[in-house]
């Protein structure tokens, strides 16, 4: 799979804010951008990409299908609309945003439609987001030989998702960590601040370096250019075994979960 290890997340960024952030990120060297139909910012991102001068082939572009578009025809049509908004002929990766286990559309339909989108060349790779172990097993059964590029899930120092991580590693499934900074909570953590001080870094960089050390891709977001630049430098930070042990001890499990909409979430592992 070709999912970059480091990208820009755009959740909750809209209008001129997302335009400015994406422009800054591209200037700073980001070459992977993560969006979603539900973020309602694909059009603005498309504008900035088209005006940036960065070759399309150099940017790994991810979007996600929102649950309202899970019917086969709606999924394919909505992805075509996403491509128009993003001003591209094809995205690099398309994800099912949430499994919606009690929804009217079953995974057999939306995953098969996603595979069809790949066959039609609308997306280069496909994957899922917020799937538990049972959902990943079922997805593989449905998709057969069509590979899943990633499962994008909430992972941060306080929610380390160890069962899912162990399962994914055993199955050779790549994971992308979102909310790696726990919506800013890491910045005030005394353990992360202590580790950061020892490395001449900041707690955000430590949290991102920790996730990268686990083999996850990360897609942090910020509205401040200096933070976007600082986050990128997490790739240069190598944590010690003791650092990793101390961060492992911060895990409190489900109590720390941030994203868990009742209508769309699976039964978390």
């Amino acid at each position: 799979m070709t999912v970059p290890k480091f990208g820009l997340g755009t959740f909750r960024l809209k209008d001129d804010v997302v335009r400015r952030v994406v422009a800054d990120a591209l200037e700073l060297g980001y070459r992977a951008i993560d969006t979603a139909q539900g973020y309602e910012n694909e059009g603005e991102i498309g504008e900035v990409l088209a005006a940036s001068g960065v070759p399309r082939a150099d940017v790994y572009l991810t979007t996600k299908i929102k649950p309202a578009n899970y019917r086969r025809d709606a999924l394919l049509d909505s992805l075509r609309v996403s491509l128009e908004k993003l001003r591209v002929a094809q995205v690099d990766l398309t994800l099912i945003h949430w499994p919606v286990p009690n929804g009217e559309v079953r995974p057999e339909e939306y995953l098969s439609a996603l595979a069809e989108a790949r066959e039609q060349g609308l997306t280069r790779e496909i994957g899922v987001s917020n799937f538990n172990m049972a959902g990943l097993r079922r997805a593989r059964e449905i998709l057969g030989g069509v590979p899943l590029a990633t499962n994008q899930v909430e992972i941060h120092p306080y929610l380390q998702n160890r069962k899912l991580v162990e399962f994914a590693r055993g199955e050779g499934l790549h994971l992308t960590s979102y909310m790696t900074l726990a919506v800013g909570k890491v910045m005030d953590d005394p353990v992360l601040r202590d580790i950061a001080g020892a490395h001449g870094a900041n707690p955000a960089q430590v949290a991102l370096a920790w996730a990268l050390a686990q083999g996850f891709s990360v897609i942090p977001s910020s509205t401040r250019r200096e933070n976007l630049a600082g986050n990128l430098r997490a790739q240069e930070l190598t944590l010690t075994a003791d650092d990793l042990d101390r961060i492992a001890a911060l895990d409190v499990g489900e109590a720390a979960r941030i994203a868990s909409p009742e209508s769309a979430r699976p039964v978390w592992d």
Side-chain angles (χ1 to χ4, degrees):
M1 294 298 98
T2 60
V3 180
K5 66 179 182 178
F6 208 99
L8 174 73
T10 63
F11 177 50
R12 293 176 177 160
L13 304 182
K14 293 186 178 183
D15 304 321
D16 285 343
V17 173
V18 76
R19 290 186 182 97
R20 174 176 54 78
V21 168
V22 173
D24 282 346
L26 291 172
E27 288 179 7
L28 290 166
Y30 283 78
R31 289 298 180 264
I33 298 173
D34 179 274
T35 183
Q37 293 175 348
Y39 297 173
E40 298 181 347
N41 60 16
E42 290 173 318
E44 290 83 354
I45 291 171
E47 290 175 28
V48 175
L49 284 171
S52 70
V54 178
R56 169 68 188 98
D58 291 353
V59 180
Y60 190 95
L61 194 54
T62 299
T63 195
K64 310 177 195 73
I65 305 294
K66 64 182 180 181
N69 295 327
Y70 282 3
R71 292 281 183 200
R72 176 192 171 275
D73 290 345
L75 189 151
L76 294 167
D77 288 345
S78 73
L79 184 51
R80 293 186 184 99
V81 171
S82 290
L83 296 182
E84 291 176 6
K85 290 179 177 179
L86 290 163
R87 305 189 186 190
V88 296
Q90 180 189 60
V91 287
D92 297 283
L93 175 62
T94 304
L95 307 178
I96 293 296
H97 205 156
W98 287 91
V100 195
N102 299 316
E104 294 181 0
V105 186
R106 307 309 301 155
E108 289 82 356
E109 180 169 354
Y110 62 65
L111 286 168
S112 296
L114 193 62
E116 187 174 347
R118 179 177 176 268
E119 290 173 9
Q120 292 186 15
L122 303 177
T123 184
R124 191 160 59 85
E125 298 185 286
I126 63 172
V128 294
S129 183
N130 300 298
F131 273 47
N132 63 8
M133 292 187 292
L136 290 172
R137 291 190 190 98
R138 185 69 188 122
R140 283 195 146 178
E141 291 173 1
I142 294 166
L143 292 170
V146 181
L148 285 172
T150 196
N151 180 25
Q152 190 178 115
V153 288
E154 180 182 343
I155 300 177
H156 47 73
Y158 315 109
L159 178 68
Q160 297 185 21
N161 251 321
R162 288 175 178 160
K163 289 182 180 179
L164 180 63
V165 170
E166 183 178 359
F167 171 81
R169 285 176 178 157
E171 294 290 313
L173 286 165
H174 180 262
L175 295 178
T176 297
S177 160
Y178 73 76
M179 290 185 172
T180 317
L181 307 183
V183 195
K185 183 179 177 182
V186 300
M187 300 305 294
D188 296 320
D189 188 283
V191 172
L192 297 179
R193 289 174 68 90
D194 186 59
I195 293 171
H199 290 277
N202 64 45
Q205 292 166 336
V206 171
L208 292 167
W210 164 80
L212 291 168
Q214 315 305 309
F216 311 142
S217 293
V218 295
I219 46 172
S221 176
S222 178
T223 59
R224 299 176 63 184
R225 184 182 177 99
E226 57 266 37
N227 290 344
L228 292 170
N231 289 345
L232 267 183
R233 291 195 293 274
Q235 298 173 91
E236 304 164 8
L237 176 58
T238 300
L239 300 176
T240 67
D242 182 63
D243 294 335
L244 295 174
D245 287 344
R246 293 177 70 190
I247 297 171
L250 298 176
D251 186 21
V252 296
E254 283 304 302
R257 189 177 294 279
I258 298 165
S260 189
E262 189 169 347
S263 63
R265 70 191 182 197
V267 176
W268 300 116
D269 297 308

